[in-house]
Amino acid sequence: MEEWQKETVYQIYPRSFQDSNGDGIGDINGIISRLDYLKELGIGLIWLTPMYRSPGNDNGYDIADYYQIDPVFGSMEDFERLLNEAHKRGIKIIMDMVLNHTSNENRWFQEALKSKDNPYHDFYIWRDPVEGHEPNNWVSKFSGSAWKYVPELNQYYLHLYDVTMPDLNWRNETLRAEIFKMLKTWANKGIDGFRLDVINNISKDKDLPNDTFKTPLDDGRNFYTNGPHVHEYIHEMYEEVFGPNNFVTVGELSSTPVSEAVKYTNPERQELSMAFTFHHVKVDYTGGNKWTLGNYKLTDLTRILSDWQVKMNRHGGWNALFWNNHDQPRAISRFTDDSKYRDQSAKLLAMVEFGLQGTPYIYQGDEIAMKNAYFTDISQYKDHESINAYNELVDNGLDKETAIKILQQKSRENSRLPMQWNSSKYYGFTTGQPWLKPLHHDDYSVEKVLKMKNNVFNFYRALIFLRKNKTLLTDGAYKLLDSQDNSVYSYERFDDKGKILVMANFTGKSQKRDVAEGFDLLLGNYEGIEMNDGTVTLRPYESVMLENK
């Protein structure tokens, strides 16, 4: 068992975490000022979303210079101090790295634009027009065609994401050598690992065939997701960088089945430590379409979580466990109740996550039950994906009110609100004007929550402690108890020495369920437990962790 498998990771979205200089944007010195807070929570690793030099068209995931810290976040000296201060507290730092694409302002792409003969031209994926139009019918994740025409070259370049983010050509050995050189530079600074953005998209089918559009998923991804050489490329990175530096690595693996995720994370294959997969946070996509007013069934959610638990364990893979991140709306607003039963809901989601096998991730604000932004007008959004989706919905005839409701439910901007530290203006995030203004006048903050009895923060602390001290939670097998239960998610973790039972009521009504003899309360999100004669009564959004030794 590796150390990181028992630790808890805290994801920081630097732009929204803590501003130290009053410019309204979170920064490195702000993070340093909150390290003691994270140490108190019990965090072992911090994942930092990108802070490299970038024009910010995708909030840093469009990298213009892999070697430089963007001045908006501070200096390289600030970053080195952050590393040092985190390590003093026994906290490791994982950097976010984007290797599928760069910004179009990156020096490599600026050179690529000069001519077809420029050595950097082949660092990207270019194709000539086909009968006067795009080389194929692939759709960008940010809507519209995945190809951009450059008249001066009479060629198109591929951009699976924003038009300002051209995809890199991993078939080019010189490009790969440049990437490995850059990764080693960060390793030499003393970082502890990488989170690899959309890493399963780096290998495309060389023929770039058209897709069928039979479903929303047949939009090109069949020919670039988990492509022909992706495992070969990642193993090469392991041999060059990850292995020699004993790195903790996590790959973002959207649209990846369990059979592939196991390959990425089985230690014998020497690729990645663990995998982010997203099937469980797509259960409210109507017909696979994200931009809809969707509902979910608990049985669908528990089936997906259970499938990944059983199959990853069986084949030696390892899950990265999460409900929230910078690309997802808040789970408390999505799957539970963020008003009347807010505290219970936050604790329920935490317990369900920490009871599963894998490495748990806390996204900033989870530990104080932060909820969705509920913006009411498109002018309040900064996120290109959300704005593009809104415009497309309206252009296709949907009324603006419904389009906004869809964004209130699905936009990733919901998770990007500034961290709520205290009750002062803008929650103590900044003394200036925040880059993204909070609107829902929420009264929750770190300051308030820490004063509350049996608060969410301390509940997370208890779960982090349990994971470090109960080997059953890291090593034990998993079993879903009732796949047809659409109200209560009940599962066991077990080995030959004992069992831990997790039961979570995902409804606003009390639910009675049978419990075998010999189980005692280990942790719950209410005071006490209503259990007698082999029956437990779960109050609205109540979750319990029971142990049978």
Side-chain angles (χ1 to χ4, degrees):
M1 180 64 60
E2 298 285 346
E3 178 190 349
W4 54 264
Q5 292 178 304
K6 291 193 172 187
E7 293 288 359
T8 297
V9 186
Y10 189 94
Q11 183 193 351
I12 290 178
Y13 190 66
R15 180 175 293 270
S16 294
F17 191 61
Q18 178 67 72
D19 176 23
S20 70
N21 60 7
D23 67 356
I25 298 173
D27 49 43
I28 293 169
N29 286 327
I31 297 170
I32 293 172
S33 74
R34 298 296 184 181
L35 287 175
D36 287 337
Y37 166 82
L38 298 177
K39 178 67 175 176
E40 183 184 358
L41 183 56
I43 296 304
L45 304 96
I46 293 172
W47 156 28
L48 300 165
T49 57
M51 297 191 296
Y52 316 97
R53 189 181 290 273
S54 166
N57 289 320
D58 191 24
N59 284 338
Y61 283 89
D62 48 327
I63 299 175
D65 189 334
Y66 283 109
Y67 291 91
Q68 299 296 322
I69 295 292
D70 196 299
V72 75
F73 297 118
S75 64
M76 187 61 76
E77 290 72 25
D78 293 331
F79 177 77
E80 289 166 352
R81 193 167 76 258
L82 169 61
L83 261 182
N84 186 45
E85 292 296 326
H87 288 164
K88 276 185 195 175
R89 293 162 174 82
I91 298 173
K92 297 180 183 296
I93 297 290
I94 297 175
M95 294 283 282
D96 213 324
M97 184 54 70
V98 188
L99 301 177
N100 177 72
H101 50 264
T102 70
S103 164
N104 60 356
E105 295 184 19
N106 191 291
R107 181 179 66 87
W108 296 346
F109 191 71
Q110 290 301 304
E111 288 291 322
L113 286 171
K114 291 180 178 178
S115 77
K116 297 179 184 179
D117 297 326
N118 189 291
Y120 288 96
H121 189 75
D122 194 48
F123 274 28
Y124 297 88
I125 298 173
W126 298 87
R127 290 292 186 274
D128 294 334
V130 175
E131 298 179 358
H133 56 74
E134 293 86 353
N136 67 27
N137 64 359
W138 294 1
V139 174
S140 163
K141 301 286 189 182
F142 284 26
S143 75
S145 172
W147 295 93
K148 171 68 175 176
Y149 183 63
V150 178
E152 295 80 5
L153 298 173
N154 189 31
Q155 280 191 316
Y156 289 87
Y157 68 81
L158 179 69
H159 61 93
L160 293 182
Y161 297 87
D162 189 70
V163 68
T164 63
M165 292 151 58
D167 278 54
L168 290 165
N169 175 23
W170 272 73
R171 292 177 181 274
N172 185 306
E173 291 184 16
T174 307
L175 165 73
R176 299 206 302 277
E178 282 291 323
I179 286 174
F180 302 154
K181 174 186 168 186
M182 177 270 294
L183 296 177
K184 289 173 185 176
T185 300
W186 286 103
N188 291 338
K189 285 193 177 293
I191 69 167
D192 303 289
F194 288 115
R195 178 266 187 186
L196 298 157
D197 185 65
V198 297
I199 193 64
N200 60 327
N201 291 344
I202 61 174
S203 175
K204 283 79 172 175
D205 186 317
K206 63 181 175 59
D207 296 326
L208 304 176
N210 285 319
D211 214 331
T212 63
F213 290 99
K214 287 182 179 178
T215 75
L217 302 180
D218 300 314
D219 57 359
R221 73 188 71 186
N222 291 312
F223 303 105
Y224 62 74
T225 303
N226 308 312
H229 300 288
V230 65
H231 295 288
E232 171 189 327
Y233 297 150
I234 294 176
H235 178 66
E236 196 174 353
M237 274 191 281
Y238 180 94
E239 290 189 312
E240 292 278 343
V241 187
F242 305 160
N245 290 286
N246 196 29
F247 270 3
V248 179
T249 55
V250 55
E252 182 187 26
L253 307 179
S254 185
S255 303
T256 297
V258 180
S259 56
E260 280 293 318
V262 166
K263 294 178 186 177
Y264 286 103
T265 61
N266 186 318
E268 293 179 2
R269 293 176 58 90
Q270 298 184 325
E271 294 186 27
L272 302 174
S273 306
M274 51 188 145
F276 275 127
T277 58
F278 300 90
H279 300 76
H280 67 296
V281 289
K282 295 181 179 180
V283 292
D284 56 357
Y285 287 16
T286 306
N289 186 358
K290 173 179 179 176
W291 299 106
T292 57
L293 282 175
N295 296 307
Y296 81 101
K297 289 173 61 179
L298 183 62
T299 49
D300 290 337
L301 181 62
T302 59
R303 172 181 49 79
I304 293 167
L305 291 172
S306 300
D307 196 41
W308 281 86
Q309 284 290 294
V310 171
K311 292 179 180 176
M312 287 288 269
N313 179 283
R314 181 185 299 156
H315 299 291
W318 194 259
N319 291 295
L321 306 167
F322 74 99
W323 286 113
N324 296 306
N325 62 36
H326 63 289
D327 278 336
Q328 298 293 331
R330 292 279 181 181
I332 193 172
S333 304
R334 190 174 184 181
F335 299 122
T336 54
D337 183 333
D338 66 7
S339 53
K340 183 177 180 181
Y341 295 105
R342 182 172 182 173
D343 284 16
Q344 293 90 340
S345 291
K347 293 175 182 178
L348 176 147
L349 291 170
M351 181 174 284
V352 167
E353 176 187 345
F354 275 71
L356 298 172
Q357 185 181 53
T359 297
Y361 284 66
I362 298 172
Y363 178 68
Q364 63 186 50
D366 287 353
E367 76 279 14
I368 59 164
M370 282 184 66
K371 62 181 180 179
N372 275 358
Y374 296 114
F375 289 147
T376 56
D377 190 90
I378 193 61
S379 65
Q380 293 157 328
Y381 288 85
K382 307 283 188 186
D383 174 45
H384 286 214
E385 183 197 38
S386 300
I387 294 168
N388 290 348
Y390 172 86
N391 289 333
E392 194 168 293
L393 289 168
V394 172
D395 289 346
N396 288 334
L398 192 68
D399 63 277
K400 292 181 179 180
E401 183 181 357
T402 304
I404 286 294
K405 285 182 179 178
I406 291 172
L407 264 62
Q408 287 178 341
Q409 185 187 77
K410 296 291 179 55
S411 169
R412 60 188 186 176
E413 206 86 291
N414 285 301
S415 63
R416 298 180 177 185
L417 288 180
M419 183 70 178
Q420 295 167 194
W421 294 105
N422 59 42
S423 58
S424 66
K425 189 176 183 182
Y426 302 134
Y427 299 106
F429 163 71
T430 182
T431 56
Q433 293 285 323
W435 75 276
L436 184 66
K437 290 185 181 180
L439 251 195
H440 51 55
H441 306 295
D442 186 19
D443 67 345
Y444 268 51
S445 67
V446 170
E447 181 181 63
K448 175 177 177 173
V449 167
L450 289 179
K451 292 177 181 176
M452 295 165 63
K453 185 181 178 183
N454 301 324
N455 63 63
V456 177
F457 181 93
N458 284 333
F459 194 80
Y460 268 99
R461 287 186 68 195
L463 285 167
I464 291 169
F465 177 83
L466 280 173
R467 273 194 55 83
K468 286 183 177 179
N469 292 279
K470 294 278 185 186
T471 56
L472 190 53
L473 291 174
T474 45
D475 297 354
Y478 169 95
K479 181 182 180 182
L480 175 64
L481 294 186
D482 186 351
S483 63
Q484 302 304 310
D485 196 329
N486 212 31
S487 300
V488 177
Y489 180 17
S490 301
Y491 66 84
E492 284 182 353
R493 300 295 307 282
F494 62 94
D495 60 20
D496 56 3
K497 296 177 182 176
K499 291 181 181 179
I500 287 178
L501 168 63
V502 174
M503 304 180 79
N505 178 10
F506 275 76
T507 77
K509 297 179 179 179
S510 291
Q511 305 282 341
K512 290 183 182 292
R513 295 294 184 274
D514 293 337
V515 176
E517 290 184 10
F519 279 100
D520 296 314
L521 181 65
L522 192 59
L523 188 65
N525 66 347
Y526 279 76
E527 284 195 40
I529 183 171
E530 296 183 10
M531 185 164 65
N532 53 62
D533 297 328
T535 300
V536 62
T537 301
L538 297 169
R539 289 157 282 192
Y541 296 98
E542 181 169 9
S543 59
V544 294
M545 185 177 282
L546 309 174
E547 185 174 26
N548 186 333
K549 296 180 180 179

